[in-house]
Every structure is written in structure tokens, then in C-alpha cells.
Amino acid sequence: MSEVTLSPEQQIVFDRVENTREHVFVTGRAGTGKSTLLNHLSWHTGKQIVICAPTGVAALNVAGQTIHSLFRLPTGVIADHAIDQNAEVKKLLNAIDTLVIDEVSMVNADLMDAIDRSLRQARSRRHEPFGGVQVIMFGDPYQLPPVPPSDPEERAYYADTYRSLWFFDAKVWQEAHLSIVELTEIHRQRDDRFKQLLNGVRHGVVTAEMAGELNAAGARPAPTDGVITLATTNAIVNRINAEELGRLKGRPLKAVAEVNGEFRKGAYPADENLELKPGAQVMFLRNDPDQRWVNGTLGTVDHIDGNVWVEVEGELHEVEPASWERHRYTYVAATKTLTKDVVAEFIQFPLRLAWAVTIHKSQGKTYERAIIDLGTRAFSPGQTYVALSRITSIEGLYLTRPLRPGDVKVDDNVRRFMAASRASRVQAADIADGSATHDT
């Protein structure tokens, strides 16, 4: 792991997590360094922590475990059904000091309550939220929403039981205090006006003047080399990538991933069958230990000779297959500690065709320039904000069509939650000078 120095406000939040037993929701706009802080916490905490996430890919990104796997929970609505726990799970859950949940905006209220109930049950502390475990959550509800259930019976259950699907409407928060700390220093964009425009899109408060600025910038002809398209659907992305690959001479060379252990197809971090040709535009899917590229860097395949040679900003790099490890936590009775064991491995070149990528898969990435293709409409709250906020400056913004009012969507439940927490939500910088409160 390459060492990262925390910014002052990131250090403040780390100290708060490390030195208190508070439940903390760490949020902030895109590019404020939430992932950097989480990674630092995983390596430097003195507590027995377990890191989990709602999806397999999200769990891989933070070297954690999925929530369902960690707690051995069934899929679908868990409601008040009995939760089966064997001795191994009970020992594991009893060893946790702090539970870290990444991408918590994708965790629905029922699953959050199931986490609470699992910990109370395993630890025999049924009257204490989360069984006495400290819960730290990372995410931005203005970006990724929870996926609504497709089953009409499950939708009816949610409508009768919860105010909304969102994690913040789980019943446990009626008992537990949640401190909300907001990172405010944006590391991705430097231009203050572009930051203001993005903030307007984030909150769904975009004036005609603001939309005009974004549309004027985005109307410029897009470059034809080295620029990525961020699109709303897999169909658009697959079409663009297939067309562009087909324009290149020669037959594609295929690299087939090696998959060992317990790995579901839906949780693969890269393509199982990767087809490449010289000249193909690709995106790196991993940070390089030698810092030659980062997750999201774009390059062009130069040649393939067993490994893949990729040109990045005029420099040629040999890219070898990378290994993604799937982890599972276990409790070691002899040492009374938690260990994180590798239970599966996925080996593939850390590359993906990248003339286009879905907006969803662009989450967490940074691009100097991108073409935003919203298709007929942006269909999910936060989708337009995620797309625009990937770009480092307004000079790198290209739109396939002008933004329309209907493209800027904010979930009304997010507005309610963030407005209700405004009085008690603290910005990280406020903690240092003592002006922050500690409960919400």
C-alpha cells in the first residue's frame, strides 16, 4: 500500500472515529476524499474493525466483505424473520469493536435494521443499538440510491414499514445517535465556479444561468482521441466500445480471467473475457503500486506480447495481470483477534475497454475530460451529478445534448434527511475549533 498523507480535515475525522465510540456517517461531495480516509482507517486504526459494503464490487474496492456474507444474511427482505447464527458467526461478531460500512447510500433500511438485530443477538446485548458496536458509515446520498425491490410484495412491505428505502430511515436510528460529519475540501476540482455549478446540480438547485454555463461549455465539439464517454446504460456503452474496437485492424486478442474460490459472476471486478487490439482505448481498474497509473487512468494499447503494453501520456508501460482477492473475516480464539482471510481470487489484466463506461461504473473515478451521454433522459436521482463531478474542470466537459431540467434529480427523502440534519451536521473543520456538537 502506498502511504497517503491525510488532509487536515481528514485527519480530524480519523481522530474522531478513533477516539470516540460515536456512530459516525462520513459524507461529503464527490472528490472530498472519503475513500482515502476509509483506506487510511483500515490500515491505521487501533481498533478491531471489520469493513463491509452492500455489493461485491464495492467490497472488493475496500478489501472488505459484503454485508450479506459477513452477517450470513439471506437475500431479499429480512424483516422480523429469525436470523440464524452459528457459533462461528457469533464469535466473529463479538470480536468487533467498530463496523465500517462503505457506500452506505446503497444499503436499504431493512438491511440496516438486520445488521443491528444481528449484532444485538450475537452479542447478547439486545437493548443496545448494534449490540454496543461502533458503526462508521461512508457515502453520499446525493450520488448512489438503494435499489428498489422488484417484487411487489416487498415494495408493499417497505411502504407499510418504513418512511423510505434509505438507510437513514431504519428503525435503529430512533434509538441510536448518529453523528454526521461532512468533508468539504474538494480535491478533484480546482475551479471555484465549476465547484459551485456541481453543488447546484448535487442539490437540484440549478438556475437557468447555471444550466446555460454548463450547456455552453458542453456544446463544444468533442475531441476524437483519448476522451471517454460516460453513458446511462450498458447498452449504449457496449455499442460504443464494440463499434470502436471493430474499427481497428486485425482480430482481437482475448484474455480469459482465472477465477479461484468463491466468486459470483455478478461480483467480478473486471471482464471475464477481455478482448483487446493495438490502438484500443482502455481504462485501468486498479491503482499501480509503483504509482504509474491509478484506478480510472486512460491509456491506449500499444502492443500485446503476453502482457499488454499501454501508452499513458506518452509513456509506455508493461501491464501484467492483477489479482483481486475476496476476503472473509474469521475469529481466532487463541489470540482473541479477527483475521481477514482470502477465500477467492480473480486474476485478469486490470484493464477495460474505455471509449465508453456507464455512469454507475465511473463512480469514484476522475477524468480530465469526458463526453456525457444522458441518452433520452437521466433516469436515476444523482446520475447527472455523478457524471459531471467525475471531471476535473469545466473545460473538459462535453455533452451529447444540452442538459434539461428533468436531468437534475434529487430524491425527496435525501432532501428531507439532509435538511433535518443540517442543524447538527458538522463540517470536519469545525471539530478542530470546538464548535461542533457530537450528537444528532
Side-chain angles (χ1 to χ4, degrees):
M1 185 205 71
S2 56
E3 188 64 34
V4 174
T5 302
L6 295 185
S7 69
E9 71 166 6
Q10 288 171 329
Q11 184 65 49
I12 289 163
V13 178
F14 173 80
D15 292 341
R16 183 168 185 171
V17 169
E18 193 70 1
N19 299 321
T20 75
R21 298 293 305 161
E22 294 178 73
H23 304 304
V24 182
F25 173 37
V26 181
T27 189
R29 288 179 278 177
T32 49
K34 297 183 291 294
S35 297
T36 300
L37 176 57
L38 188 157
N39 189 51
H40 183 87
L41 175 67
S42 71
W43 282 89
H44 295 90
T45 182
K47 297 179 178 181
Q48 295 253 45
I49 74 164
V50 165
I51 302 173
C52 61
T55 68
V57 172
L60 285 173
N61 287 339
V62 292
Q65 197 170 338
T66 66
I67 294 169
H68 285 86
S69 169
L70 175 65
F71 289 93
R72 311 293 200 272
L73 294 170
T75 56
V77 169
I78 298 160
D80 56 359
H81 303 159
I83 295 176
D84 294 327
Q85 293 176 328
N86 59 27
E88 179 190 358
V89 173
K90 288 181 179 178
K91 286 178 181 176
L92 168 65
L93 298 185
N94 270 283
I96 299 174
D97 291 329
T98 299
L99 176 71
V100 179
I101 305 174
D102 194 28
E103 300 289 14
V104 73
S105 65
M106 299 174 70
V107 176
N108 64 49
D110 175 71
L111 184 55
M112 181 62 68
D113 279 337
I115 293 170
D116 169 50
R117 196 150 53 90
S118 295
L119 289 167
R120 294 190 200 217
Q121 179 177 308
R123 298 164 68 90
S124 300
R125 296 165 76 170
R126 294 181 183 271
H127 301 294
E128 198 169 347
F130 300 107
V133 170
Q134 179 188 30
V135 175
I136 308 298
M137 300 176 293
F138 288 81
D140 180 8
Y142 288 103
Q143 294 187 53
L144 290 175
V147 178
S150 57
D151 184 88
E153 299 296 324
E154 291 188 4
R155 289 200 300 272
Y157 165 78
Y158 273 104
D160 286 345
T161 309
Y162 291 107
R163 189 167 180 181
S164 80
L165 281 174
W166 289 86
F167 74 93
F168 48 72
D169 281 328
K171 295 186 187 324
V172 64
W173 301 120
Q174 296 168 15
E175 296 181 56
H177 287 298
L178 178 61
S179 297
I180 304 174
V181 179
E182 189 168 14
L183 296 171
T184 59
E185 183 184 350
I186 297 174
H187 304 279
R188 184 173 294 144
Q189 290 91 19
R190 299 295 178 198
D191 176 61
D192 287 340
R193 181 54 181 166
F194 191 38
K195 291 180 187 178
Q196 290 172 356
L197 294 172
L198 291 176
N199 204 37
V201 175
R202 181 177 190 245
H203 291 96
V205 184
V206 178
T207 65
E209 179 189 359
M210 295 166 74
E213 285 185 61
L214 290 168
N215 285 332
R220 291 166 297 122
T224 55
D225 63 316
V227 64
I228 191 168
T229 295
L230 310 184
T232 52
T233 66
N234 280 312
I236 297 172
V237 167
N238 293 339
R239 175 182 56 77
I240 292 172
N241 284 332
E243 287 175 356
E244 293 294 337
L245 188 65
R247 288 193 178 102
L248 299 176
K249 294 179 180 178
R251 293 173 55 190
L253 295 174
K254 180 187 290 188
V256 180
E258 180 183 339
V259 186
N260 303 307
E262 308 162 26
F263 238 119
R264 290 188 305 105
K265 274 185 177 289
Y268 287 173
D271 292 337
E272 183 179 13
N273 297 296
L274 175 64
E275 293 192 350
L276 297 175
K277 293 181 185 179
Q281 181 165 300
V282 291
M283 179 174 71
F284 286 87
L285 302 176
R286 290 280 294 270
N287 291 341
D288 176 43
D290 297 325
Q291 300 182 329
R292 292 169 297 174
W293 59 77
V294 298
N295 187 0
T297 293
L298 295 177
T300 303
V301 174
D302 184 83
H303 65 280
I304 302 167
D305 63 1
N307 288 329
V308 183
W309 292 79
V310 179
E311 183 182 324
V312 178
E313 295 181 349
E315 288 193 36
L316 197 59
H317 301 296
E318 183 178 13
V319 183
E320 299 177 342
S323 169
W324 285 264
E325 296 174 341
R326 184 164 170 258
H327 297 89
R328 176 175 291 161
Y329 291 92
T330 53
Y331 175 69
V332 182
T335 57
K336 293 184 168 51
T337 57
L338 291 170
T339 64
K340 192 163 66 171
D341 304 311
V342 177
V343 296
E345 188 180 32
F346 181 98
I347 301 170
Q348 178 60 289
F349 291 101
L351 300 168
R352 172 181 284 136
L353 288 178
W355 286 283
V357 69
T358 61
I359 293 169
H360 187 87
K361 284 198 172 88
S362 76
Q363 182 75 17
K365 306 290 195 301
T366 299
Y367 307 109
E368 289 186 9
R369 51 188 190 162
I371 300 167
I372 310 297
D373 184 346
L374 296 175
T376 55
R377 64 186 179 95
F379 54 83
S380 173
Q383 196 171 42
T384 300
Y385 172 63
V386 170
L388 295 176
S389 60
R390 299 308 96 201
I391 305 168
T392 57
S393 73
I394 198 167
E395 287 76 27
L397 171 64
Y398 303 93
L399 297 168
T400 59
R401 65 160 175 81
L403 292 175
R404 298 191 286 258
D407 295 324
V408 181
K409 301 173 185 282
V410 180
D411 191 297
D412 287 339
N413 293 296
V414 173
R415 292 185 197 271
R416 165 177 56 82
F417 169 67
M418 297 301 278
S421 68
R422 187 170 296 125
S424 52
R425 187 166 74 244
V426 298
Q427 295 183 347
D430 295 334
I431 301 172
D433 62 18
S435 62
T437 57
H438 279 237
D439 286 336
T440 75

